[in-house]
Amino acid sequence: MWLTETDLEAIWLTLRLAAVTTLILFVVGTPVAWWLARTRSRWKGPIGAVVALPLVLPPSVLGFYLLVAMGPNGPVGQLTQTLGIGLLPFTFWGLVVASVFYSFPFMVQPVQNAFEGIGDRPLEAAATLRASPLDRFFSVALPLALPGFVTAGILTFAHTVGEFGVVLMIGGNIPGVTRVASVQIYDYVEALEYGNAHRLAAVMLVFSFLVLLALYVWNPGAKKR
Amino acid sequence: MNETQANTNTAAAAAAAAGAETGMRSQIEARFRVAWPGFTLDVDERLPARGVTALFGHSGSGKTTLLRCIAGLEHAAVGRLSFKGSVWQDAKTWVPTHRRPIGYVFQEASLFPHLTVLGNLRYGQRRSRGGSASDSLGKSSDSDSNSLGKPNASNSLGKRALAITESSADTDTDTDTDTDTDTDTDTDTDTDTDTGSVTDRFSLEQAIELLGIGHLLQRKPAALSGGERQRVGIARALAVNPRLLLMDEPLAALDLKRKQEILPYLERLHDELEIPVLYVSHSPDEVARLADHILVMDEGRVLASGPLNETLSRLDLPIRLGEDAGVVLDGQVAERDEQWHLLRVACCGASLWTRDSGAEIGAHVRLRILARDVSITRDPGHASSIQNTLPATILSLGDDSHPALRLVKLEISGSPVLARVTRRSADQLDLAPRQLVYAQIKAVALL
């Protein structure tokens, strides 16, 4: 095996983080996307902008605020301490929370676009066919938006894998706990271990390419009607 | 809901309400006020809850908005809607669309693209409470034997439909149908007793048969033609067993050929069902063929409302109908003249000759007589190319869309007919109400 034990640990941690984040975002992001797609509220603009913030914000800025919020004196930190969970920074779950914020737009925007693409008509048709609002969502909106969900899932997963700045701010560099692949590569480069960095970087490169390849080959938009 | 409201009233008011309610049993009472930028809908109407009522008007006249208000797809801030005595909307009540016993046909069929035709049909049928009055398609053998034992009108329909679906099940055995069959089995027992008459209970088979879509069941909507899609849309609306069918220009998105393909099915619907239908249309032709009642709308208001012929023969409306001004009469084919390819249609105590359309002797038909095809003479003596010359009484004269023209309302043995003449000839003939004249009817369209 040409990857070291710590490399494998870092890769495994990265995949775990990305998978958990994606799953959480499916649950959390979908209602937000649905609301943004359907609402006529004047809050649509502001909320949409907040959701999109991580796209333009430097990861260190987002990480800094999250660190402050989840720290011992921050509101989230005090809440987690009262609940007996302890402090989130420098833990795996701290990373998960940060990643959820960081990857939020990558989940919400494709799903929102997919919901908007459905239009009112199929949902109205379902209503005249006796489907309740919740029923309409699951039996019509979800199946019709499925391509959007696949895109969103792949993008969220890949984006979380590629995370670096936020991880460094929130998680630091604890082997097996918060040291993900991107941080590991950074470590190698700092230590001038270019050989190790090359190997892991190549793995990341191939992985990223395969994900994008999957996204472009499995292109549901190609036979849109 | 309205029962409890009545209880809170005084005895006298309750009695009055009860009286009003019995009158309302056969009515749709609709009062809506919708104010959007640039458009206002202001309607307060009682519509008959039987037969086909056409909501007729130009685009933008508010007819679709009215239909959507009735369906609950549009929530008019001020409104009251009751159907056969049950309140769907008033100040305190709002019945959401999915709880209203309606079927709705959209202008574009709006089928679910992710489901097959059968999946689309089943979508609403499954969800309609007590509306699962159909045997599942898969287990055709035992539902067939059930229907054999029942001497009711649904038999022939049901069996023909089963024959169709059986053959289609033979050719493609889709996994979809197989799994569906199992889930439907438990509803079987209570549906048997429920089958009822064709008119108030509607089964999936009947909907499939009525619209002739048995061979399409396993297809996806994308693989259907526009006309087929709309037929599936209509069948899907019928399969929920609606008590009120709402149709929003179901033919408007189709070309002439497709329209001709679907109209016969709509006429069958009209003939074979007793479900009241509200039919939005801007086509005088469709209205003439299908409607029993008509509600004429313009700019969000109702111009006229009433039985079809009574309303069409009103002299203040034809102006809006322009070239299409005319009347629709019911008749029966009485005689066929093989030599001249003509049919004699007995209509309103008179006989009219028209081109042989192939209708059978004794068949009930609708005749459309346009005002422009009727001229007036005081002397029927001399030879004319016009075959139908009938004695008539002038009821009234009115203005037409052009200052050179007048519309004359005639009565031919009890039925009103409109004639379009020039103002000059009306003057020269000295036409006046209650005068006896002869109506020369140049063309009669059999619908």
Side-chain angles (χ1 to χ4, degrees), chain B residues 399-416:
Chain B
D399 292 329
D400 202 350
S401 44
H402 192 278
L405 300 174
R406 298 208 81 177
L407 276 172
V408 184
K409 186 172 180 177
L410 304 165
E411 185 193 292
I412 301 177
S413 20
S415 297

Side-chain angles (χ1 to χ4, degrees), chain A residues 121-122 124 127 130-131 135 139, chain B residues 68 102 108 110 114 123 127:
Chain A
R121 191 42 61 77
E124 288 183 350
R130 313 282 183 274
D135 186 359
S139 63
Chain B
R68 289 173 59 84
I102 56 163
E108 343 68 58
S110 306
H114 62 297
Y123 186 93
R127 286 167 171 82

Side-chain angles (χ1 to χ4, degrees), chain A residues 26-112:
Chain A
F26 270 131
V27 177
V28 177
T30 304
V32 176
W34 178 251
W35 183 83
L36 282 171
R38 309 284 311 167
T39 187
R40 288 178 203 155
S41 155
R42 61 203 168 91
W43 290 100
K44 178 177 175 165
I47 301 282
V50 168
V51 167
L53 262 185
L55 289 175
V56 292
L57 219 51
S60 51
V61 173
L62 185 68
F64 171 69
Y65 282 123
L66 286 172
L67 188 63
V68 170
M70 297 196 292
N73 298 317
V76 180
Q78 290 186 339
L79 178 74
T80 51
Q81 280 174 309
T82 340
L83 292 173
I85 306 170
L87 289 169
L88 284 175
F90 310 109
T91 66
F92 176 73
W93 288 104
L95 273 194
V96 169
V97 171
S99 303
V100 163
F101 278 98
Y102 185 53
S103 295
F104 208 62
F106 290 84
M107 176 60 73
V108 170
Q109 289 189 345
V111 173
Q112 180 189 342

Side-chain angles (χ1 to χ4, degrees), chain B residues 157 160 209-210 264-273:
Chain B
L157 271 181
R160 260 185 291 163
E209 201 272 345
L210 198 66
Y265 292 106
L266 293 180
E267 284 171 329
R268 278 187 73 184
L269 224 71
H270 181 213
D271 295 342
E272 295 183 20
L273 304 181

